[in-house]
Amino acid sequence: MKKVLALLLFLVAAFASWLCYTSGILHRGAPVSVRVSELEKSVRVVPVKDQKSGLSFPLVGRVFASKSVEITPEVTARISKVHVASAQAVKQGQLLIELDHSMEEARLREETVRLDNQMRRLSMMQKLNSKGVVSLDSMEQLRAETEQQKAVVEARKAALEERKIYAPFSGVLSLHRLTPGELVRPGSVLLQLDDLSEVYVDFNIPERLMSQLVPGQKVVGTAEAWPNEKFNGVVREIDTHVKSDTLAIKIRVFFKNDNVRLLDGMMMEISLSLFGGKYAVIPLKSVLYQGDERYVFILNKDRTVSRRRIILGPVTGSYAAVLDGVRPGMQVVSEGVEKLADGDKVRVLSDEKSLEDLSGDVPLRKKTRTGDSVL
């Protein structure tokens, strides 16, 4: 009987102890639920900057000499003399090549002698006509024949000049292997002459960007051949036609090339800024997307956040200009923005703390080697 009574007392004591333990747990747990609901969300913020921004549009094109011509003969003849060397700089009007012209010189001399004879005859007939010895009709007929002979002489001179090839403008010649005695024909390229003091590159841009481009806009280009050098250019010409298949329009950018770094046919890259000006600039990772609308969260003085609709402008790298919705000096949430709601109270992290080290659960817990600790 004593054993049964002792067992009952033990069970009652154990039950009482269990009630005290569970009531203490519940008592301590109630404030935890309150703290969880009141916990602040950790975020990182950045200031809205006021800086010059623009849409940087990368373009690649081929370099062309401002003037370029393939020099070809107009007649079939043998080369008599080559007056220039390969890659030589020449002046406008300089004699480059002479073709064999012995036959043309002989014909010119023949026709010149014939013209001189007719000129003497015409002079004598004019004297005789003044004395009434010859008729006026005879004199006028000889005058017409003389004029015709002058035209023949001019034609022979032109034929002779066709055998001499001159530089049409100042520039640099291409490499060549011309040899005296070589037979050439019309259409065969003898030399290439390029004026490289100024070069241009044609680029195609989408037609939607045309309103943001004006003649005279300055650009900076680079070429693989000169990786550490930049070339200053200017948009000088804009085409008047849009390609129907690509909806692109051609622009022509000119570059000064006094040191002849840029050669015809070389590839060149430019970064064209199409939207200049000062704007409020924010990181792209701060932007929330909902349909066609864009939002950011603004940090208020009471450490709450407000959802703000914005209108984005040009994008450069990881930053975007904002045309409306924020102004310089405001603080926008740059990290932790995904879990925020309008009016949430937040905790701004310092630079040494990282959101990647924080869990997304509530309460936030920081991972340690020994275990998790509530922030």
Side-chain angles (χ1 to χ4, degrees):
M1 188 66 180
K2 290 182 180 181
K3 291 182 179 181
V4 174
L5 183 60
L7 180 59
L8 289 175
L9 291 174
F10 174 76
L11 291 176
V12 170
F15 181 71
S17 300
W18 179 79
L19 286 178
C20 293
Y21 175 77
T22 54
S23 63
I25 291 295
L26 292 177
H27 177 74
R28 289 193 301 271
V32 172
S33 61
V34 174
R35 290 199 304 270
V36 168
S37 63
E38 294 179 351
L39 265 177
E40 303 167 345
K41 297 179 180 179
S42 299
V43 297
R44 180 168 285 117
V45 299
V46 295
V48 179
K49 297 180 180 180
D50 182 16
Q51 68 183 42
K52 189 173 182 180
S53 177
L55 175 61
S56 182
F57 202 79
L59 299 169
V60 178
R62 178 190 168 196
V63 174
F64 292 93
S66 58
K67 297 178 185 177
S68 181
V69 64
E70 292 180 339
I71 297 175
T72 62
E74 298 182 22
V75 296
T76 299
R78 294 189 181 277
I79 296 176
S80 174
K81 190 173 183 180
V82 180
H83 293 271
V84 291
S86 294
Q88 178 181 335
V90 297
K91 298 293 184 180
Q92 182 177 1
Q94 183 175 336
L95 181 60
L96 307 178
I97 302 170
E98 285 186 75
L99 303 179
D100 182 48
H101 48 75
S102 56
M103 184 65 70
E104 280 65 34
E105 283 184 334
R107 290 174 179 172
L108 176 59
R109 287 194 299 268
E110 179 183 2
E111 299 298 341
T112 302
V113 171
R114 187 174 297 173
L115 175 61
D116 291 341
N117 290 334
Q118 288 188 335
M119 292 289 290
R120 283 193 298 269
R121 288 176 58 195
L122 179 61
S123 178
M124 292 176 59
M125 188 169 286
Q126 287 174 340
K127 293 177 181 179
L128 294 173
N129 178 258
S130 62
K131 297 178 180 181
V133 177
V134 295
S135 65
L136 182 61
D137 289 343
S138 299
M139 187 186 68
E140 292 299 328
Q141 183 178 356
L142 183 58
R143 189 192 304 275
E145 291 175 356
T146 302
E147 293 298 323
Q148 183 179 4
Q149 187 60 31
K150 286 182 179 179
V152 172
V153 171
E154 293 298 323
R156 292 304 180 190
K157 288 182 179 178
L160 179 60
E161 286 300 310
E162 287 180 348
R163 268 69 178 175
K164 297 178 181 179
I165 301 176
Y166 299 91
F169 52 81
S170 300
V172 181
L173 295 171
S174 62
L175 301 179
H176 70 79
R177 295 183 60 185
L178 299 176
T179 306
E182 180 182 351
L183 181 66
V184 295
R185 294 179 173 81
S188 57
V189 178
L190 305 181
L191 295 169
Q192 170 112 13
L193 177 62
D194 298 315
D195 180 4
L196 295 172
S197 60
E198 187 177 53
V199 298
Y200 70 88
V201 185
D202 288 340
F203 300 103
N204 293 316
I205 65 169
E207 65 167 330
R208 59 184 172 83
L209 301 177
M210 185 178 174
S211 61
Q212 304 177 37
L213 185 69
V214 293
Q217 183 170 343
K218 296 181 180 180
V219 300
V220 177
T222 57
E224 284 192 10
W226 311 102
N228 299 322
E229 191 167 350
K230 296 186 182 298
F231 302 91
N232 297 319
V234 60
V235 179
R236 193 177 298 171
E237 299 170 2
I238 302 176
D239 202 357
T240 57
H241 297 277
V242 176
K243 294 183 179 180
S244 58
D245 54 344
T246 60
L247 295 180
I249 190 168
K250 183 184 295 183
I251 64 172
R252 185 161 291 177
V253 182
F254 285 81
F255 296 87
K256 286 293 183 182
N257 193 31
D258 297 331
N259 53 6
V260 195
R261 297 281 198 183
L262 302 174
L263 303 180
D264 189 276
M266 187 179 289
M267 299 305 294
M268 194 169 189
E269 182 177 354
I270 67 170
S271 184
L272 186 64
S273 297
L274 297 176
F275 202 101
K278 282 192 173 182
Y279 302 95
V281 177
I282 62 173
L284 277 175
K285 60 184 179 181
S286 299
V287 182
L288 291 171
Y289 300 85
Q290 184 175 349
D292 295 334
E293 296 184 343
R294 307 291 181 262
Y295 296 91
V296 294
F297 280 100
I298 303 297
L299 179 66
N300 301 317
K301 292 182 178 180
D302 58 357
R303 289 196 299 153
T304 61
V305 292
S306 300
R307 188 176 180 181
R308 185 74 63 89
R309 181 176 176 271
I310 62 172
I311 298 177
L312 285 180
V315 176
T316 303
S318 60
Y319 286 84
V322 181
L323 304 181
D324 188 36
V326 297
R327 62 180 182 274
M330 288 183 171
Q331 301 277 335
V332 297
V333 178
S334 60
E335 293 185 48
V337 65
E338 299 85 1
K339 298 180 181 180
L340 292 180
D342 192 24
D344 280 352
K345 198 161 188 177
V346 297
R347 180 182 185 184
V348 179
L349 295 180
S350 57
D351 292 339
E352 60 270 12
K353 294 182 180 180
S354 172
L355 287 179
E356 296 178 356
D357 296 331
L358 302 175
S359 69
D361 299 328
V362 178
L364 293 177
R365 295 180 178 274
K366 185 174 181 179
K367 297 178 180 178
T368 63
R369 293 182 179 178
T370 57
D372 291 345
S373 59
V374 178
L375 293 178

